[in-house]
Amino acid sequence: DTAVGISLISSTIITLNNTGTILGSIEDLDGRGLSLKTTSSITTLTNSGTISGFSGDTATGILLSKSSITTLTNTGTISGSASGSSGIGLQLKTASIITLTNNGLISGSADTSDVYGIYMYKSSINTLTNAGTISGLVTNGESGAGIYLTQSTITTLNNSGLINFISGGYDTPDSAALHLNDNSSIDTLINSGTISAVQGDDDDYTLAGIQVVDESFINNLTNTGLISAAGSGDSNYAIFINDTSSIGTITNSGTISASSDEDDDDAYAIFINDSSSVGTITNSGTITASAGEDDAYGIQLDSTSSITTLTNSGTITASAGEDDAVGIYLDTTSTIATLNNTGTISVTAGIKEAT
């Protein structure tokens, strides 16, 4: 069974203005606020009210399946809240949005399973501008993200607000605030706000602020704000690039930070692994990693990964309570073609060693 506030199937709405409440609520199965399926479209959607789905199973605020929205402007709330399987604020499945502007809240929440603020599968957004909050919140569930892309593209993502993933812990594998998976891409990512992932339990899985994996890429990343990850019982990565993925340019005048508590595992500010690459890193801000007990790395390259040019006029730091602390670490035939440093690269370690 499905409960849907407004449902379009092979249909069109030119202008939809919502200042009230659009709600799909059901005890089990699917609850959706607004659903567009089978080549449906909305030209202009403006929401200053609430569009939400609620369910004991799967809940979605707005679902687009083989459909499109030209302009979506949100100053209200778009949410999917589930006590069971998954909660998704905005879901795109083989769908498109030309312009998405969020000054309100887009959120997915669940007690026991997957959560996504925005979930994209084989879909595209031309311009996403966020000055509000895009969030995934799970209490005791599995994976999630603030924004998740699989086989999808965002041309321009401009964040001056908050993109986050928060977990209470317990079996939350490979989660991130911003997650690009399976040949996904962002051409231009500009962050002057906060992109953060926080985990509140001793959970034995990785956690990342930005995760770029499985042959995905970001062409240009500019950060004047904060990109961070903290709290996983396994490894915490502010920026994690893996599986033959890449970022063309990282320009940082803000803070890129990973931290692990005393009982947690390793912390990596920037980790480049498995034949992945970054063309240019220019840092005039802070790149920092701190671990309460285990290893901390400011920048690590592993398994035949590379940086073409690394220029640091800022600070790259690592601190570890007991194990290794390394500012810049290269392993297993990895390379940096050119390293220019006029700033500070510093490490501190407790019982064991600093490198």
Side-chain angles (χ1 to χ4, degrees):
D1 294 338
T2 302
V4 184
I6 296 176
S7 178
L8 283 73
I9 299 176
S10 302
S11 299
T12 299
I13 294 176
I14 302 300
T15 301
L16 172 54
N17 296 315
N18 179 53
T19 59
T21 298
I22 301 171
L23 171 65
S25 179
I26 190 169
E27 184 175 348
D28 295 311
L29 299 178
D30 294 342
R32 302 174 192 147
L34 172 62
S35 176
L36 286 75
K37 289 187 171 183
T38 319
T39 63
S40 293
S41 66
I42 296 175
T43 303
T44 303
L45 169 56
T46 304
N47 178 56
S48 58
T50 298
I51 302 173
S52 66
F54 178 82
S55 173
D57 191 2
T58 300
T60 307
I62 298 176
L63 169 66
L64 281 74
S65 178
K66 297 180 180 178
S67 297
S68 65
I69 296 175
T70 303
T71 302
L72 195 169
T73 303
N74 179 54
T75 57
T77 297
I78 300 170
S79 67
S81 179
S83 57
S85 178
S86 66
I88 303 171
L90 172 61
Q91 183 175 17
L92 289 78
K93 299 169 66 177
T94 319
S96 66
I97 296 174
I98 301 300
T99 303
L100 169 55
T101 303
N102 179 54
N103 294 302
L105 172 65
I106 301 174
S107 70
S109 63
D111 291 339
T112 60
S113 197
D114 301 335
V115 296
Y116 304 96
I118 297 175
Y119 181 95
M120 301 173 61
Y121 171 71
K122 292 185 177 180
S123 297
S124 65
I125 298 174
N126 281 17
T127 303
L128 196 169
T129 302
N130 179 55
T133 298
I134 301 173
S135 179
L137 171 62
V138 63
T139 305
N140 289 301
E142 296 180 5
S143 62
I147 301 175
Y148 182 90
L149 294 79
T150 182
Q151 299 180 50
S152 296
T153 63
I154 297 174
T155 303
T156 301
L157 170 53
N158 193 331
N159 178 56
S160 60
L162 173 64
I163 299 170
N164 71 346
F165 170 78
I166 301 174
S167 169
Y170 180 72
D171 290 345
T172 309
D174 304 328
S175 295
L178 175 59
H179 190 157
L180 283 72
N181 181 59
D182 194 7
N183 288 283
S184 293
S185 66
I186 296 175
D187 185 56
T188 301
L189 170 56
I190 301 169
N191 179 55
S192 58
T194 298
I195 300 173
S196 71
V198 179
Q199 201 149 274
D201 201 353
D202 293 332
D203 196 22
D204 293 329
Y205 293 97
T206 60
L207 187 72
I210 297 175
Q211 183 161 303
V212 186
V213 297
D214 296 332
E215 300 182 352
S216 297
F217 68 90
I218 298 172
N219 275 339
N220 298 290
L221 192 167
T222 301
N223 179 55
T224 60
L226 172 65
I227 300 169
S228 67
S232 172
D234 197 337
S235 298
N236 293 279
Y237 308 87
I239 299 176
F240 180 47
I241 311 163
N242 195 34
D243 304 325
T244 323
S245 297
S246 66
I247 298 180
T249 301
I250 299 174
T251 304
N252 179 56
S253 58
T255 299
I256 299 172
S257 171
S259 61
S260 296
D261 296 332
E262 184 174 345
D263 295 327
D264 296 333
D265 211 326
D266 303 333
Y268 305 82
I270 299 175
F271 186 79
I272 309 165
N273 187 51
D274 191 14
S275 301
S276 296
S277 65
V278 176
T280 301
I281 297 178
T282 302
N283 179 54
S284 58
T286 299
I287 297 173
T288 182
S290 62
E293 289 185 357
D294 291 302
D295 299 334
Y297 301 89
I299 299 173
Q300 177 167 337
L301 294 82
D302 206 344
S303 302
T304 322
S305 295
S306 66
I307 298 172
T308 303
T309 303
L310 169 55
T311 301
N312 178 55
S313 60
T315 301
I316 300 172
T317 66
S319 62
E322 294 186 5
D323 286 349
D324 298 340
V326 186
I328 301 172
Y329 182 76
L330 289 77
D331 196 7
T332 318
T333 65
S334 294
T335 61
I336 297 176
T338 302
L339 170 56
N340 301 309
N341 180 54
T342 58
T344 300
I345 302 171
S346 67
V347 298
T348 58
I351 296 172
K352 292 184 71 176
E353 61 183 287
T355 302

